[in-house]
Amino acid sequence: MDLQLTLGPGPLRSQLEHELRERVRAGRLRPGTRLPASRVLAQDLGVARGTVAEAYAQLVAEGYLVARRGAGTLVAGTAGGAVAAPAPAAPARVRFDLRTGRPDLGAFPRGAYRAAIGQALRELPDAALDYGDPRGHAPLRAALAAQLGRTRGVVADPEHLVITAGTAQGLQLVWRALARRAGDVASGGASPGGDGAGAPRAPLRVAIEDPGWSEQRAGVRAAGLEPVPVAVDDRGADVAAIARAGCAAAVLTPAHQFPTGGVLAPERRAALLDWARARGAVVVEDDYDAEYRYDRDPIGALQGLAPASVVYAGSASKTLAPGLRIGWLVLPERLVADVARERWALDRGSPVLEQAALALLLASGVVDRHLRRTRRRHRARREALVAALARHLPGAPISGVAAGLYLGVELPAGADDVALAAAARAAGIALHAVHEDCTVVAPHPPALLLGYGALPESAAEPAVAALASVLRSGSPAA
Ligand SMILES: Cc1ncc(COP(=O)(O)O)c(C=O)c1O
């Protein structure tokens, strides 16, 4: 294959990386395309083989390419375009829904929600129907500030809160605000951090968890920043590595690491905040499902320890429903105006009626009552799933059962979790594999993620029996 690359004077490796990245971004190199072997490309370009190998390795780390043993280096499946590929849809005929990130949607408080929308409609003054504050409806910001302070230990001033269309958008707003500050995004005006002349500067680096939520890497990259995967072990993310990597920001899931289910260890929490304070860096705390903790009291938010360094990100996706598309950021004061400006530029803010309804549901205690009920339901669903796994996949290591809405099942070494997840989907079992749903750069055991929020207790037994049969027929050693 001829990539038609020409390199000019200057550092060859970064030119090569840049050229390949741009071709992938622009869709000129399609997902799945196999790149020439490093030896061959090095010969074509007249550069050292190590230069090509290093450029490939960097783009693998960034997620543009994947290295497959026996198949060489390929363009990654989700690499086309600057924006993340849409989440895989559920298969056409779903017998069992074990996808992560879904609460029990049958429990959604429809009656109370309908009443709250009606009340909001009756009571909102006409002025509230105008373009509003891009940070969101003030009564909702006040209600959330109180709720987050009480339940998560967040130090939340309503003035520092921004309502978002979910965590995914919230993170995007933060990255865009940081990028614009640093002059990495065309701002349509003078950028505060930009020098306006000279060589293009390297993009800001943002530490992301490896393994971690794939959206984090895609989102950082979509904003023009450079994601830096940092290893996660059973004590959470390697904070020393974050400090060494020269990052301006880091995004973590401290209370319940996605997907391993661990908790960031106390000394790492402290070290992370020390790093952020000393470096003036921003820690983004993705508190995506911390309301569900089954083994102990909830782990308080990091943000409460360092509100000037931490962006707290949460949403109603796991507590009420992802389809509401309502989330929130609690920001250090220095970022509030920038993030609000990004939201205004993007879409002017979130719909006011839904915001007003949620404010009423929070203030009247409906959300608290709903959470008490769904915690019990999810706990029962989790127990049914764990029991079914013990019967049908005895001995399979299970992780992350202590919190959240999903658990991990490790597969035998050498198993292809992506292929097995596809086989399960073909059999009507909707689920995801770690190697398809997460950023995985360092070697990680093959594993399936099984969500139980949407799996009624009575379905656990037949779902796991069906899954075990798929694994037996498709896995080398299961
Ligand atoms: C790690 C992580 N963070 C956040 C979210 C929630 O995203 P949103 O609030 O945009 O629905 C998810 C959803 O699955 C997730 O897995």
Side-chain angles (χ1 to χ4, degrees), residues 100-101 165-169 213 216 253 258 286 288 314-315 317-318 322 325:
T100 57
T167 304
Q169 189 200 51
W213 186 30
Q216 281 162 351
T253 45
F258 185 85
D286 177 1
Y288 66 109
S315 79
S317 292
K318 310 291 185 280
R325 304 315 302 143

Side-chain angles (χ1 to χ4, degrees), residues 91-93 95 419-431 470:
R93 192 181 57 88
R95 283 160 64 211
L420 287 167
R425 285 194 289 273
I429 310 165
L431 50 66
V470 170

Side-chain angles (χ1 to χ4, degrees), residues 107-131:
F108 186 78
R110 287 173 187 258
Y113 195 79
R114 189 187 313 111
I117 287 279
Q119 185 181 345
L121 208 45
R122 281 193 307 278
E123 292 178 358
L124 277 181
D126 291 351
L129 302 174
D130 199 352
Y131 291 108

Side-chain angles (χ1 to χ4, degrees), residues 211-247:
W213 186 30
S214 52
E215 181 63 31
Q216 281 162 351
R217 176 158 68 177
V220 167
R221 213 162 54 199
L225 305 182
E226 183 185 342
V228 180
V230 165
V232 168
D233 61 24
D234 58 356
R235 303 181 68 67
D238 181 348
V239 170
I242 296 176
R244 280 196 304 273
C247 293

